[in-house]
Amino acid sequence: MEKYFKRRSTISCDEQNIGERNVRKKRDENDVGDVDVDVGDVGGIGDVGDVDVGFGGIGDVGNVEDIGDVGDSGGNVEDIGDVGHVGDVDVAQLPSDLGLRVPIQNYDVNIRDVIRRAYMQRGPCQPRNHIFPRTRIGKIDRRFCVLWYNEHPTWLEYSIAKDAVFCFYCYLFGLNDRSFVKGGFSNWKKKEYIRKHVGASSSAHNQARVKYELFNNQEQSIRSCLVKQSHQARTNYRIRLNASIDCVRFLLRQGMAFRGHDESEDSNNQGNFLELLHWLCDHNPEIKAVALTNAPENLKLTSPRVQKDIVSAIASECLHVIIENIRDSFFSILVDKSRDISVKKQMSVVIRYVKNGCILEHFIGVIHVLNTTAASLKAAIDQLFSTHSLSISNLRGQGYDGANNMRNEYNGLKALILKENPSAYYIHCFAHQLQLALVAVAQKIRRLKLSSLQYIDW
């Protein structure tokens, strides 16, 4: 709805009976210097009232749009811009004269707030340069006095069409059966009735004024309350999430297990993750206020799935840092194949590079492969390099075990990579060489003495 309020409206009150006003203008121009005495209520001195000296030509009387100062509602109501139509109502063409306005209750309930904001932006209709017509009341001609605006600047409105005053607050938020809303007030002899309209603190006028101020104060609106609640919910969510992340980071760094055999509420040991989170809550009141038992049942952020998601996110960030450190530098890879507990074939990859004179070695992942043939392993390595934007032309070393599919001179993984990059020299993994040497030595020794009292026969 904010799109309806972008800049201040230039629409003024609608002036009616233009022909009659032009006749009055000519009459006043011919009678320049005449003094018109408006009789009002001045306490105790009969019916002597305001003196209004009117010279023809004051203001642009013939200008239909000449209203003078239209009050600005201020507050938080935004400016009206290029509005267009709201439903079947053209907000830009809403009549400013209250005598021509449609009652708020007659608008569709879905656009009433738009209409209210449009009128609140314009403020009460208070024409000041208009020549107010006289009305015979008793034996004296009386008319509206523009100085009354100053006594009630925020709500008093004058309708040129009906020559009556209305209440701006009551029109927007009051009842339409009151005189200051439905038909208007035009008994200029009884000025005190305007003050009586305000009434006590619980009057209908003051109730409408309170509704006006609450509507004008966006911080008290339902939308603002929902935003505040949403902001608090987001804050609590971040506190819980950061607490879970801290626990995961600690366990990952220490290489400790997450889960426990019994993670129920009455368990003596719920596992490292939950026990660490309990400890964190006990030492941080801010976390304790929103985590574990004080958190929503569906948003505790402690489930195994959430733990795995956090681990995956941390692994992704760590891998990103490793790849950024390598950039366009030379590097080498160490590859070994194995099977997991479900007998699925997989390939582990370790990358080695030099940074600031230091040799760094990082594990970058486990890749599942369909089989352990050289072609399948080569395709998996190419996919890994493509995912992390690594170029095989920067590869300067490759280290594997001594299996035939790895070190074969013609069809092994070593040969396939050397065909593409001759600078990627192959090194037989020293760990595997040491293992082979130990196995060979152990096979030659039939009796191994472990201690003075214990022997093992081979």
Side-chain angles (χ1 to χ4, degrees), residues 135 152 328:
T135 302
H152 311 285
D328 297 328

mmCIF file of all heavy atoms in Angstrom, residues 135 152 328:
data_model
loop_
_atom_site.group_PDB
_atom_site.id
_atom_site.type_symbol
_atom_site.label_atom_id
_atom_site.label_comp_id
_atom_site.label_asym_id
_atom_site.label_seq_id
_atom_site.Cartn_x
_atom_site.Cartn_y
_atom_site.Cartn_z
ATOM 1 N N THR A 135 -25.827 34.167 6.470
ATOM 2 C CA THR A 135 -27.089 33.479 6.695
ATOM 3 C C THR A 135 -27.890 34.265 7.723
ATOM 4 O O THR A 135 -27.352 34.650 8.775
ATOM 5 C CB THR A 135 -26.862 32.044 7.193
ATOM 6 O OG1 THR A 135 -26.068 31.341 6.239
ATOM 7 C CG2 THR A 135 -28.179 31.311 7.381
ATOM 8 N N HIS A 152 -9.260 25.389 16.431
ATOM 9 C CA HIS A 152 -9.329 23.933 16.241
ATOM 10 C C HIS A 152 -8.609 23.573 14.940
ATOM 11 O O HIS A 152 -9.258 23.168 13.957
ATOM 12 C CB HIS A 152 -10.787 23.460 16.205
ATOM 13 C CG HIS A 152 -11.620 23.986 17.335
ATOM 14 N ND1 HIS A 152 -11.526 23.504 18.624
ATOM 15 C CD2 HIS A 152 -12.541 24.990 17.369
ATOM 16 C CE1 HIS A 152 -12.379 24.159 19.402
ATOM 17 N NE2 HIS A 152 -12.999 25.074 18.669
ATOM 18 N N ASP A 328 45.895 -20.100 -8.049
ATOM 19 C CA ASP A 328 46.592 -20.549 -9.261
ATOM 20 C C ASP A 328 47.951 -21.174 -8.949
ATOM 21 O O ASP A 328 48.801 -21.277 -9.839
ATOM 22 C CB ASP A 328 46.769 -19.375 -10.228
ATOM 23 C CG ASP A 328 45.442 -18.834 -10.713
ATOM 24 O OD1 ASP A 328 44.492 -19.643 -10.828
ATOM 25 O OD2 ASP A 328 45.351 -17.622 -10.970
#
